[in-house]
Amino acid sequence: MAVMETRQYPHRRFNPLTGEWVLVSPHRLLRPWQGKVERLPEDQRPRYDPDCYLCPGNTRAGPVRNPAYQSTFVFDNDFPALLPEAATFPGESSALFRSEGEPGRCQVVCFSPRHDLSLPELSVSQIAAVIGAWTEQTRLLLEDPGIAHVQIFENKGELMGCSNPHPHSQIWATCHLPNEVQKELDHQRAYRERHGSSLLLGYLAQEQQRSERIVCANQHFTALVPYWAVWPFETLVLPHRAAGRLTDLNDKEIDALADLLKRLTTRYDNLFQCSFPYSMGFHQAPRTEGAGDFQLHMHFFPPLLRSPVVRKFMVGFEMLGMPQRDLTPEQAADRLRESSEVHYKEDRR
Ligand code: H2U
Ligand code: ZN
């Protein structure tokens, strides 16, 4: 093998939010690909689809009829993964056989009546309405003392297992903390005990100085590729001040978040000129003690690696050992920064 720059050496990076490591192997990028090539999903959809379960006025699989909604639309999931009555589940508590009921609720949030418009194609004010709906559901769900945490997420694209192309997200509210949230709470709390300050605000300040992983920003939010990113084009969206939950944001900040989400998701779509698949979501402070240490943020986990049809697989070493990436977070940030904030579909018109 030719002499390599030391920067190209395999190394591991630490994720201070979860306490886990990721293996980075920059020299492997030139590896040829003769593996799976995905089918390109349909990019053109009708404004209204009479067979869509989520379009206004249609009957769901539920079977309930949707109202003729004009903006966002929230409903209780007809096939919920969580049920409020699960508190009475007869659990077990021995060392090797432990289980407990997980009472909770699941909801679906449609972004818009339009079947054909994903997040980057909505206007900033329409995205602000979506954030408003997420905020309101967070508030309402946490009024129930049996709910400890509200998980808001969007699975976008067939590649991420999304069952319906109508733009929508889900909310799963649980009585215990999901694993990832528990890890992030523990690490943020331990960081504050040790350093007397916020982990994510401190991280943001240092990233703003280094600037090499910043993708885009406005007055109130920054999107960056985290130093410890696992997915090829993973990003983290951070507020500029301390805020635990969506309900802590004021109207100006919600508008700023909408602006940033439009710009970031447009860059994603432009990267490979396709509707960019991802799982994204918020992590927000749980009800639990110590929640004051928790800083609101969003994660975007997109699976694509080198084109709309070649994805990153988390297999072998990743499943048995630890996550691994070839493209460095800095290269990913460069690519996203080079990507335009004018959507390719708009550019074609
Ligand atoms: P996903 O596409 O991310 O799977 O989300 C769609 C959700 O919508 C899914 O959780 C729900 C499914 O249960 N759904 C309904 O509640 N009613 C329907 O009529 C169709 C889909
Ligand atoms: Zn639809």
Side-chain angles (χ1 to χ4, degrees), residues 80-92 99-106 144 146-147 173-176:
L82 298 150
L83 297 168
E85 50 272 31
T88 53
F89 175 81
E92 291 188 70
S99 57
E100 48 197 18
E102 183 62 66
R105 288 183 59 189
C106 294
D144 177 349
I147 296 296
T174 50
C175 114
H176 299 102

Side-chain angles (χ1 to χ4, degrees), residues 265-304:
T265 53
T266 299
R267 286 174 183 272
Y268 272 144
D269 277 12
N270 286 340
L271 195 60
F272 299 134
Q273 304 257 310
C274 71
S275 189
F276 208 71
Y278 56 68
S279 272
M280 67 83 148
F282 290 87
H283 274 152
Q284 39 183 353
R287 177 191 295 284
T288 333
E289 200 188 316
D293 298 323
F294 202 102
Q295 173 74 344
L296 170 76
H297 58 277
M298 289 181 81
H299 294 281
F300 278 81
F301 300 130
L304 293 182

Side-chain angles (χ1 to χ4, degrees), residues 52-54 59-64 66 75-81 106-108 153-157 160-166 168-170 172:
C52 169
Y53 292 127
L54 304 183
T59 305
R60 297 206 298 272
V64 187
N66 295 324
F75 63 92
D76 284 332
N77 198 310
D78 300 307
F79 309 95
C106 294
Q107 298 174 320
V108 178
F153 63 95
E154 178 191 8
N155 293 324
K156 184 180 164 217
M160 294 312 289
C162 179
S163 63
N164 186 314
H166 193 114
H168 67 280
S169 59
Q170 295 195 50
W172 292 22

Side-chain angles (χ1 to χ4, degrees), residues 150-227:
V150 177
Q151 183 61 61
I152 299 166
F153 63 95
E154 178 191 8
N155 293 324
K156 184 180 164 217
E158 288 171 19
L159 225 52
M160 294 312 289
C162 179
S163 63
N164 186 314
H166 193 114
H168 67 280
S169 59
Q170 295 195 50
I171 302 180
W172 292 22
T174 50
C175 114
H176 299 102
L177 302 197
N179 299 347
E180 295 303 313
V181 179
Q182 184 69 59
K183 277 188 265 179
E184 291 193 353
L185 177 63
D186 292 346
H187 283 86
Q188 290 183 86
R189 194 188 294 177
Y191 186 94
R192 189 181 296 277
E193 275 163 17
R194 189 147 176 220
H195 302 275
S197 58
S198 156
L199 188 161
L200 279 176
L201 285 176
Y203 174 64
L204 174 64
Q206 292 201 35
E207 284 292 25
Q208 284 169 330
Q209 275 176 10
R210 294 183 177 209
S211 79
E212 60 184 337
R213 277 172 297 274
I214 307 263
V215 175
C216 52
N218 58 29
Q219 198 188 342
H220 299 292
F221 286 87
T222 292
L224 53 84
V225 180
Y227 183 72

Side-chain angles (χ1 to χ4, degrees), residues 113-159:
R114 288 276 298 267
H115 185 79
D116 56 335
L117 298 183
S118 63
L119 219 44
E121 297 162 280
L122 296 178
S123 67
V124 172
S125 64
Q126 287 168 326
I127 300 173
V130 176
I131 301 169
W134 289 330
T135 306
E136 179 65 357
Q137 291 314 308
T138 300
R139 191 182 66 72
L140 290 172
L141 287 162
L142 284 175
E143 278 178 4
D144 177 349
I147 296 296
H149 179 257
V150 177
Q151 183 61 61
I152 299 166
F153 63 95
E154 178 191 8
N155 293 324
K156 184 180 164 217
E158 288 171 19
L159 225 52

